[in-house]
Amino acid sequence: MNRPFMPKHIPATRRPGAPATFHVKSFGCQMNVYDGERMAEMLGAQGMTPTGEGVDADLVVLNTCHIREKAAEKVYSDIGRLRRDDGTRPMIAVAGCVAQAEGGEISRRAPSVDIVVGPQSYHNLPELIGKTLRGESAVDTDMPLASKFGALPGRPKQARPTAFLTIQEGCDKFCTYCVVPYTRGAEISRPQSAIMDEAKALLDGGVREITLLGQNVNAWTGEDAAGRAQGFDGLIRALADLPGLARIRYTTSHPNDMTDGLIAAHAQVDKLMPFLHLPVQSGSNAILKAMNRNHTVESYLAILDKVRAARPDIALSGDFIVGFPGETDADFEATMALVDQVRYSMAYSFKYSPRPGTPAADMGRQVPMEVMDERLQRLQAALNAHQVEFNTAAVGRRVPILLERMGRFPGQRIGKTPWLQSVHVIAPDAALGDMIDVDILSAGPNSLAGELAERKAA
Ligand code: SAH
Ligand code: SF4
Ligand code: F3S
């Protein structure tokens, strides 16, 4: 029973031999979404065809997230659902951060899993499929020194005018609640030349907006074309010189890596959008210390002051954790006060989830679930109110919208403002990827509606 290398006898696919169709399902952060896209592009380059939904594909890749308990548990219920009416199932690969954290344990808990592959080794997926077909164990959670990027095929034509581009991976910060340093490994920056090549390929494929990604994207360091050392702002300036690129965004930043150069770029680089996702997690210095964030509320606010001085219209976004071990009512009220002071345009907020192996999981004074529930509700009510307030302020203004996708109604298109708000507009003659001026007519919590500026003038 416990012979992990025993060949599996369940028919893995409907057809004998290699899988011909696949489906990749990604959970978690944008970097995981990016990885899912790269996996799909790689399987496509192998001659496999993507299918719309899971169970009918010959191969299903679950690209998982380990950040909170619920996200991690979801994997197992998803695996259980991958069974067809005729009793067969697809070949199943578990990729992403759960794969990295749990490794071979996954196939022991869920024997129908054929392949386990971590975020730094998914370029080996074709080889792992081969091993599975030969009945061999296919677990690869290595963090090889040579980056996977060199082994992946180039970027093909993209379906949408916006794309993600991972420039930095891993994290050395070790916040006491977080699994990322363990699942994604040490901080590494991709070389500028590789990033520029990938950006050019995306632009050739019709992309107009690139979002640069990293667990700590603003910690990126590298060398310019002449071999001079430079920081993240230098990379942004180099990208901004690429013709055809209309908009640059980036996420996620750490407050301690917000350099003056990057802040200045927000004032000077037109293509850099006025939006900053800068997680603070808590408004209490005692909690920030216990979290090992290495910044204070005051140092965080000082950064925001500088950013707002450089780019007064910047939209701010953040992440919050409520109920970190030891969080008192007063600590939580400090978070509420910070939120009221900053007035974020949007934000993500979570109940603290103890993650095995992280220091915070073993701390005393864990906060009861009912207290976390109540705090999260209050925090989210405040954050939502500010989001509505931010969106409402756009009503009556004319803003440039980059059209990203088709809407549900005839002629309707959906695009984004520079401040990352979704806008619905009727623009039958406009193509995706077009930049159009739109007059904002109304605002809801999650989107705006507007009309084409020219139409009004006519
Ligand atoms: N590198 C980024 C974000 C990493 S994870 C940063 O440092 O800001 C995204 C968010 O998930 C975090 O910002 C945090 O708010 C949340 N998160 C991480 N671990 C968590 C945990 N154990 N419980 C609850 N939320 C968590
Ligand atoms: Fe996690 Fe902290 Fe690293 Fe962000 S900075 S990925 S929260 S350890
Ligand atoms: Fe989740 Fe891994 Fe991203 S744990 S948030 S998928 S880095």
Side-chain angles (χ1 to χ4, degrees), residues 10-53:
I10 310 168
T13 61
R14 277 180 175 161
R15 285 159 245 197
T21 60
F22 70 92
H23 179 73
V24 179
K25 193 170 175 191
S26 289
F27 305 88
C29 62
Q30 285 140 319
M31 301 193 63
N32 229 29
V33 173
Y34 172 87
D35 288 340
E37 288 168 1
R38 297 298 308 257
M39 280 187 249
E41 289 171 4
M42 181 178 56
L43 297 172
Q46 299 273 317
M48 297 172 62
T49 315
T51 58
E53 256 317 306

Side-chain angles (χ1 to χ4, degrees), residues 45-96:
Q46 299 273 317
M48 297 172 62
T49 315
T51 58
E53 256 317 306
V55 75
D56 289 330
D58 296 336
L59 166 69
V60 172
V61 181
L62 298 173
N63 189 24
T64 60
C65 173
H66 201 244
I67 201 84
R68 284 170 290 274
E69 190 183 354
K70 270 194 187 150
E73 280 305 313
K74 199 171 178 322
V75 181
Y76 292 98
S77 59
D78 276 16
I79 294 167
R81 273 198 290 273
L82 289 174
R83 206 155 254 296
R84 305 181 183 121
D85 294 342
D86 63 2
T88 61
R89 61 168 178 82
M91 184 186 282
I92 301 173
V94 175

